[in-house]
Amino acid sequence: LRERLPVAKTGDELERLSISLNNMIVRLEDAFQQNRRFIADASHELRTPLTIMRGELEAIVIQNQIAPEVQTKAVSILEEVERLTRIVEGLFAISRLDAGEAQKEMVRFDLAKLATNTAEQMCLLAEDKGIVVRCDNAQEVMVEGDRARMKQVVVNLLDNAIKYTPSGGKVTLSVSAQSGRASLEVEDTGIGIPAEAKPRIFERFFRVDKARSRDLGGAGLGLSIVKSICAAHGGKVDFYSTEGKGSRFVVELPLSRSNNEMGEKTNGL
Ligand code: ADP
C-alpha cells in the first residue's frame, strides 16, 4: 500500500475506509501522471514533423517560384503551421513544468539585467508595430532561479503587452526590490482586460477574444506558463487592468538570500 494518508490501524470500518481512500488517491495520482506523460510524449512527437513541414514550406515561400494564387495559399498554410508549432511548443513547456522541471538549473542572477536584455531583444518587434518600450531598471535585483524559465516569463509578458497594444502605445518594464521581494512589472497602454475575464485569465487556452488572439498568433498558453514558473519559484503573478486604457502585470519573487543580507547591511550603515 502506497500511503498518502495515515492509515487508522483500528481493525474496523475506519481502517477499511482509510485504506480505500489511500487507494483512490494513488489511482488519481497515477491517472494525472499518465495524463502528463501523454501530453509530454504527444507534443514531443509532433515537434519533428512540424519542424520539417515548416522548413519545406518556408523554402517554397522564399523561392516564390509558384503561381501567385498557390503562393498566397502556401503563405497562409505556413502561418497555420507556425501557429500549430506555437501550440505544440506551449504544451511541451507546460508538460515539463507540470513534471516539476521549472527549476532545472538554479543560479543566482540579476533579474533587472535579464529583463533589460530581453526587452532589448524584443524592441524590433515593438518598433515594427510603432510601440515604444521603456525600461526602468536602474538597480541590481538579485534572485535565485532558472534563468531560461525566468526569461520565458519576461518574454511572454512583453509579447502580450506588445500584441495587445495598438500602434502609438507605450510598454514600460520595471524591476525593483520592495519589502524583501523582487518585483517585475510590465505595463502597457493597450486594449486592457474586461473585469469579467479576470478570474480566468491564467487558465490554459483562455483568451478574451479568440479571434483577435488567433490573428495575433496567440494560443492562450502564455500566461498559464508564466503562472506555473512563478509558483515554482516561490512567487506569484497578478494584474491590474482597465478596459480600453491598459494593463499592468506584476510578478513577485523572493529576493536572493545574499541580496537580503546585503540590503540589511546597507540599511544598518
Ligand atoms: P495568448 O497567446 O492568447 O496571448 P495568454 O495566455 O498569453 O495567451 O493570454 C491570455 C489572454 O489574456 C489573451 O488572449 C488576451 O485576451 C489576454 N491578455 C493577456 N495579456 C494582455 C494584455 N497585456 N493586454 C490585454 N489583454 C491581454
Side-chain angles (χ1 to χ4, degrees):
L1 174 75
R2 278 149 69 189
E3 279 185 34
R4 290 293 182 269
L5 294 171
V7 172
K9 306 266 190 264
T10 47
D12 59 6
E13 192 62 21
L14 187 62
E15 180 168 346
R16 278 192 294 281
L17 194 66
S18 55
I19 290 173
S20 76
L21 257 179
N22 265 301
N23 285 340
M24 239 149 64
I25 295 173
V26 168
R27 278 214 303 275
L28 264 177
E29 277 178 356
D30 286 348
F32 282 133
Q33 173 79 19
Q34 271 180 31
N35 202 3
R36 278 200 295 270
R37 230 343 345 121
F38 176 74
I39 296 174
D41 290 348
S43 48
H44 184 72
E45 288 300 318
L46 286 167
R47 286 168 103 200
T48 314
L50 272 173
T51 309
I52 296 168
M53 275 165 76
R54 205 175 66 208
E56 307 253 332
L57 266 166
E58 266 167 6
I60 293 172
V61 167
I62 291 166
Q63 279 163 13
N64 197 6
Q65 281 173 355
I66 43 179
E69 64 275 18
V70 186
Q71 173 79 6
T72 315
K73 278 205 181 109
V75 171
S76 68
I77 296 172
L78 179 58
E79 279 167 11
E80 289 304 307
V81 170
E82 281 169 349
R83 211 170 73 79
L84 198 54
T85 306
R86 275 193 297 276
I87 297 174
V88 168
E89 290 297 339
L91 282 176
F92 188 62
I94 282 174
S95 69
R96 291 203 332 222
L97 292 173
D98 281 353
E101 287 185 28
Q103 299 156 290
K104 257 186 126 178
E105 287 168 34
M106 291 292 279
V107 290
R108 192 169 168 267
F109 63 92
D110 180 6
L111 183 65
K113 195 163 170 201
L114 178 95
T116 307
N117 290 346
T118 310
E120 274 165 12
Q121 285 161 9
M122 295 179 73
C123 254
L124 270 186
L125 181 76
E127 273 170 27
D128 279 352
K129 263 199 81 180
I131 294 169
V132 177
V133 180
R134 231 188 69 198
C135 273
D136 282 340
N137 304 330
Q139 265 181 327
E140 197 178 68
V141 179
M142 300 304 288
V143 295
E144 263 154 59
D146 187 309
R147 272 182 72 102
R149 304 279 192 249
M150 286 320 301
K151 188 179 168 97
Q152 188 72 62
V153 166
V154 184
V155 168
N156 288 8
L157 292 179
L158 277 178
D159 186 55
N160 279 348
I162 297 167
K163 264 194 317 203
Y164 301 109
T165 298
S167 176
K170 211 169 80 182
V171 172
T172 312
L173 171 68
S174 51
V175 179
S176 59
Q178 283 165 20
S179 9
R181 306 275 282 174
S183 157
L184 180 141
E185 296 195 9
V186 178
E187 189 167 8
D188 65 58
T189 57
I191 60 172
I193 296 162
E196 62 271 20
K198 181 156 194 196
R200 301 197 57 200
I201 212 83
F202 293 102
E203 277 176 23
R204 290 169 186 182
F205 291 112
F206 177 78
R207 287 163 287 175
V208 173
D209 180 339
K210 272 202 169 30
R212 190 198 305 250
S213 159
R214 198 191 136 90
D215 289 347
L216 296 167
L221 294 174
L223 286 180
S224 69
I225 291 175
V226 167
K227 189 177 172 187
S228 298
I229 296 174
C230 291
H233 282 78
K236 59 177 189 177
V237 53
D238 206 350
F239 74 96
Y240 309 88
S241 183
T242 311
E243 228 184 329
K245 287 218 162 130
S247 313
R248 182 163 60 96
F249 280 81
V250 183
V251 167
E252 264 184 44
L253 295 167
L255 281 172
S256 155
R257 267 195 302 279
S258 27
N259 209 356
N260 269 336
E261 280 159 20
M262 271 165 57
E264 276 159 25
K265 271 187 205 145
T266 322
N267 289 342
L269 281 175

